[in-house]
Amino acid sequence: MSSSTGAEALETYSAASDSTVSRFIVDNGVITTDQLNAGGLRVWLSGYDPITGEERGHQRLSPDADLLLDGTLNHPKSYSLAALLHPELADEFEALQDRLRERILLTWQAELNARRGHGGLIREEITRVEVV
């Protein structure tokens, strides 16, 4: 199994070896979560199940293959500043972010599809989405 440069960067950044990231799993419309340490994240990024070590899917070795979908969800900085200045807003802001994440993950599972076959002519539903 090859090592991911992203996971290596996580390990070398500050005290990241003791840090974890949240993994959100959407499986058939149900969202669960767990924590991955740097080693688990490296395994996950390399295309293996971080719990069982099992390889997932088919290795796409082409440099043009999409191995990961990278997305950043952002909000105006003024929301964060308002939450810092008015602590009673902080809980509401966190709840808003949680609702947005849940809606986006469920939408991704419902609307994205996998393509296979010659020229990607065969489209398949995605039954499981994982996000860290």
Side-chain angles (χ1 to χ4, degrees), residues 4 9 11 15 20 23 28 31 33 35 64 104 107:
S4 163
E11 278 188 295
T20 62
R23 175 175 62 153
N28 293 313
I31 300 174
T33 186
Q35 297 295 309
D64 297 325
I104 290 166
T107 300

Side-chain angles (χ1 to χ4, degrees), residues 74-86 89-90 93:
N74 213 340
H75 55 274
K77 186 54 103 181
S78 56
Y79 292 179
S80 297
L81 294 174
L84 286 172
L85 295 173
H86 301 283
L89 293 177
F93 184 55

Side-chain angles (χ1 to χ4, degrees), residues 17 44 51 70 81 94 98 112:
S17 61
W44 184 81
I51 306 301
D70 185 16
L81 294 174
E94 284 293 323
D98 290 345
L112 295 177

Side-chain angles (χ1 to χ4, degrees), residues 20-26 31-36 40-41 44 48-51 56 105 128-132:
T20 62
V21 294
S22 296
R23 175 175 62 153
F24 298 91
I25 303 161
V26 187
I31 300 174
T32 58
T33 186
D34 63 7
Q35 297 295 309
L36 297 177
L41 181 61
W44 184 81
Y48 293 82
D49 185 295
I51 306 301
R56 297 203 224 172
L105 293 176
R128 182 179 173 105
V129 175
E130 293 187 15
V131 175
V132 295

Side-chain angles (χ1 to χ4, degrees), residues 10-123:
L10 175 67
E11 278 188 295
T12 58
Y13 182 75
S14 185
S17 61
D18 295 335
S19 298
T20 62
V21 294
S22 296
R23 175 175 62 153
F24 298 91
I25 303 161
V26 187
D27 198 350
N28 293 313
V30 177
I31 300 174
T32 58
T33 186
D34 63 7
Q35 297 295 309
L36 297 177
N37 61 19
L41 181 61
R42 179 189 299 109
V43 170
W44 184 81
L45 286 169
S46 299
Y48 293 82
D49 185 295
I51 306 301
T52 66
E54 249 181 86
E55 184 176 10
R56 297 203 224 172
H58 303 286
Q59 289 290 332
R60 301 287 184 230
L61 302 177
S62 165
D64 297 325
D66 292 327
L67 301 178
L68 297 170
L69 172 64
D70 185 16
T72 300
L73 307 178
N74 213 340
H75 55 274
K77 186 54 103 181
S78 56
Y79 292 179
S80 297
L81 294 174
L84 286 172
L85 295 173
H86 301 283
E88 65 276 7
L89 293 177
D91 289 339
E92 291 300 320
F93 184 55
E94 284 293 323
L96 171 64
Q97 291 183 98
D98 290 345
R99 288 191 307 273
L100 286 171
R101 181 188 58 242
E102 182 173 309
R103 178 167 287 181
I104 290 166
L105 293 176
L106 291 171
T107 300
W108 281 352
Q109 183 187 24
E111 300 297 329
L112 295 177
N113 60 62
R115 297 176 66 173
R116 65 181 179 84
H118 182 71
L121 292 176
I122 302 169
R123 294 179 184 226

